[in-house]
Amino acid sequence: MNEALARPAVVSRISDLIGYTPLFELCRTETGSRLLLKLEMYNPTGTAKIRMARQMVLDAEARGELRPGGRIIESTSGNTGLGLAVIAAERGYTFTAVVDNHACTDKLRGMKALGTELVHVVDDGTEELATAAREELAEEMARGQDNTIFTEQHNNPSNGVGYFPVAHELHQALDGNIDVLIGAVGTGGALCGTTRELRKLVPDFTTIGVEPKGSIAFGGPAHDYYQSGTGTPEGAEIGALVDFDLIDEGVKVGDIEAFATARAVARTGLLIGGSAGGVVHEALTRLTSLPPGSTMVALVNDGGEKYMDTVFNDDWMNARNLIDPAVDREIDETLTKLRRN
């Protein structure tokens, strides 16, 4: 491995464990095309978003906006908050997360365990996604406060920069042999940041963005959805990091298909998150139509362990009409067939 991308044998900060995540071949076609998953759950906190959490803090420090003893405020559905909680803890900052009840309970518990102050913008027990209200409150809380920053992940350029190392990890591992990169689009940082840097290294590949049905980045209609940490709900602005010039095609995947895929992948021995299930679902539908010998890389930005009470809970799923046996069978059959090749 290139020494520049090699992790030291012993580290002294949790953030030194960020990156170098593995690639896993989930399946391949009879013609040799393969689907590789970039398993970002092997980062600390089990998610990709700690990459950009660290970058946002480092850049704020470099600009002099955040000094010793300072306070970080962010609006989060969970994974960015977990990343910021780790970075704040190891660098001596106070972290306040503005949240709603759309976030999985385990994410909220995790942030609190790491010393985070949780502020609920909606505290009536509803599961409604309240992105716009969260961001308004976070901005208001930071306004005029000394040594306090609102990291504003949806519009912070450091978000995208934090994912530049993903491009270098992929290029090194695959010697530039990447034909398709597919990933979820929420803030846009992960997919667009990776694509921007990877195109300096691999000039000819296709980028496909995936959002939940009900999200508005790739058009309407808008409606509620249960996939967390991804998409742009009605009433929220599309983040500045969603660069449509870098996304060759934008597609939508419904909650039923996304969650069924996550559950099907779990039966192969790998736990991935619900929105990652949406990415893998779209990748599986495209894999057999790729030219022989193609390599498709799916960014799996979240593990499934945080979703035992939701995506992997039959009672929760049934209560929301998110299980369709016909869809389950179709995805199981597709995945089983491709894994035999």
Side-chain angles (χ1 to χ4, degrees), residues 160 164 188-197 241-244 246-247:
F164 285 2
L191 184 63
C192 294
T194 301
T195 295
R196 185 179 301 280
E197 188 70 3
L241 300 168
V242 180
D243 189 337
F244 294 102
L246 293 173
I247 301 172

Side-chain angles (χ1 to χ4, degrees), residues 271-287:
L271 286 169
I272 65 175
S275 60
V279 173
V280 174
H281 181 271
E282 185 63 28
L284 290 172
T285 64
R286 293 169 176 263
L287 188 63

Side-chain angles (χ1 to χ4, degrees), residues 24-310:
F24 171 68
E25 182 179 301
L26 178 65
C27 55
R28 65 169 58 214
T29 67
E30 294 178 347
T31 62
S33 293
R34 55 184 181 162
L35 172 58
L36 306 182
L37 309 184
K38 179 67 165 162
L39 298 181
E40 288 289 279
M41 72 277 277
Y42 286 96
N43 284 301
T45 71
T47 171
K49 291 192 175 182
I50 195 170
R51 291 183 185 261
M52 61 92 153
R54 175 176 61 179
Q55 193 67 44
M56 292 192 298
V57 171
L58 292 178
D59 289 350
E61 289 176 340
R63 294 190 300 267
E65 296 173 0
L66 189 61
R67 304 178 301 280
R71 183 186 188 194
I72 301 165
I73 300 174
E74 181 55 271
S75 158
T76 175
S77 60
N79 282 335
T80 299
L82 285 167
L84 285 169
V86 169
I87 305 303
E90 71 176 17
R91 303 180 81 84
Y93 299 122
T94 299
F95 174 49
T96 300
V98 181
V99 301
D100 54 38
N101 289 309
H102 185 80
C104 289
T105 302
D106 281 349
K107 295 180 184 179
L108 301 178
R109 290 171 180 160
M111 284 188 279
K112 190 171 182 180
L114 289 163
T116 301
E117 175 194 19
L118 298 180
V119 176
H120 283 80
V121 69
V122 178
D123 203 15
D124 58 4
T126 64
E127 295 179 338
E128 184 177 350
L129 186 59
T131 304
R134 286 196 332 241
E135 294 187 358
E136 288 173 9
L137 179 57
E139 184 177 12
E140 179 184 332
M141 291 175 67
R143 188 180 297 117
Q145 299 298 311
D146 182 53
N147 199 16
T148 298
I149 62 165
F150 169 32
T151 41
E152 198 178 1
Q153 59 174 313
H154 284 84
N155 296 302
N156 190 329
S158 300
N159 179 340
V161 174
Y163 294 102
F164 285 2
V166 179
H168 291 273
E169 292 170 27
L170 292 175
H171 180 255
Q172 175 184 283
L174 300 172
D175 285 332
N177 296 318
I178 303 171
D179 300 289
V180 180
L181 179 69
I182 184 168
V185 176
T187 68
L191 184 63
C192 294
T194 301
T195 295
R196 185 179 301 280
E197 188 70 3
L198 190 58
R199 286 196 173 158
K200 299 175 184 176
L201 307 168
V202 183
D204 188 18
F205 67 94
T206 298
T207 293
I208 299 169
V210 180
E211 69 173 350
K213 288 182 178 178
S215 176
I216 62 171
F218 302 133
H223 57 75
D224 291 342
Y225 54 87
Y226 287 102
Q227 293 171 66
S228 65
T230 187
T232 306
E234 187 175 23
E237 293 185 7
I238 298 172
L241 300 168
V242 180
D243 189 337
F244 294 102
D245 289 337
L246 293 173
I247 301 172
D248 297 296
E249 185 178 354
V251 299
K252 297 174 181 286
V253 175
D255 289 335
I256 290 174
E257 291 77 13
F259 295 166
T261 304
R263 289 159 68 103
V265 171
R267 289 188 286 274
T268 74
L270 177 68
L271 286 169
I272 65 175
S275 60
V279 173
V280 174
H281 181 271
E282 185 63 28
L284 290 172
T285 64
R286 293 169 176 263
L287 188 63
T288 56
S289 64
L290 295 178
S294 296
T295 296
M296 175 185 285
V297 175
L299 300 177
V300 174
N301 290 334
D302 195 13
E305 291 81 358
K306 306 182 188 81
Y307 305 96
M308 293 297 107
D309 291 334
T310 54

